[in-house]
Amino acid sequence: MVELIRIGITVVLTTQASYFAAMILVYESMMDWYEWSTFPDPENIFEKTVNVVTASFIGVAYWAGLRVKKRNWFMKRVYLVGYLSVYTIFATIVYNILYSFVKFLGRTFGWS
């Protein structure tokens, strides 16, 4: 159980980083893809769920993309590399904290 949760945490954090890398390469396409995959004004539980799942997997990179929208082609990439560097440090810290907590729960409740 602990290993499965660790893999889940890794998948979410790695997906965010991969989306950052894709945005560095093809910024406009990835921004459009995110906007096409979400609902602007969700009205029901299905639309809200789609937005939450999409944001949890690739929302940080999209947010960074919005922050650099007004920059020129080269500076967008430079800023996105900076955001990716900060994200990598932050994701490593979050991973270690969450994994330590899950290991503690695993020992406490006897999860294998």
Side-chain angles (χ1 to χ4, degrees):
M1 181 68 142
V2 172
E3 202 58 24
L4 182 63
I5 294 171
R6 182 189 68 81
I7 291 170
I9 294 168
T10 304
V11 165
V12 171
L13 295 175
T14 305
T15 303
Q16 292 271 9
S18 300
Y19 200 75
F20 259 114
M23 283 187 58
I24 291 169
L25 297 174
V26 285
Y27 173 82
E28 288 80 14
S29 297
M30 298 312 287
M31 291 295 285
D32 288 343
W33 185 85
Y34 182 89
E35 291 165 0
W36 293 334
S37 66
T38 57
F39 297 95
D41 295 319
E43 297 176 357
N44 57 37
I45 191 71
F46 171 74
E47 293 176 352
K48 291 177 183 179
T49 303
V50 169
N51 284 357
V52 166
V53 170
T54 304
S56 67
F57 278 94
I58 56 178
V60 174
Y62 178 73
W63 173 83
L66 289 176
R67 304 277 298 164
V68 300
K69 196 173 198 173
K70 302 284 186 201
R71 307 287 181 191
N72 66 28
W73 184 91
F74 180 74
M75 290 309 294
K76 279 181 190 173
R77 275 57 180 182
V78 170
Y79 278 103
L80 286 173
V81 168
Y83 278 123
L84 177 59
S85 302
V86 170
Y87 173 77
T88 303
I89 294 167
F90 179 72
T92 304
I93 293 168
V94 167
Y95 171 80
N96 287 325
I97 291 170
L98 289 176
Y99 186 52
S100 298
F101 181 68
V102 169
K103 282 194 316 189
F104 169 75
L105 290 178
R107 279 182 296 206
T108 303
F109 295 112
W111 297 340
S112 301

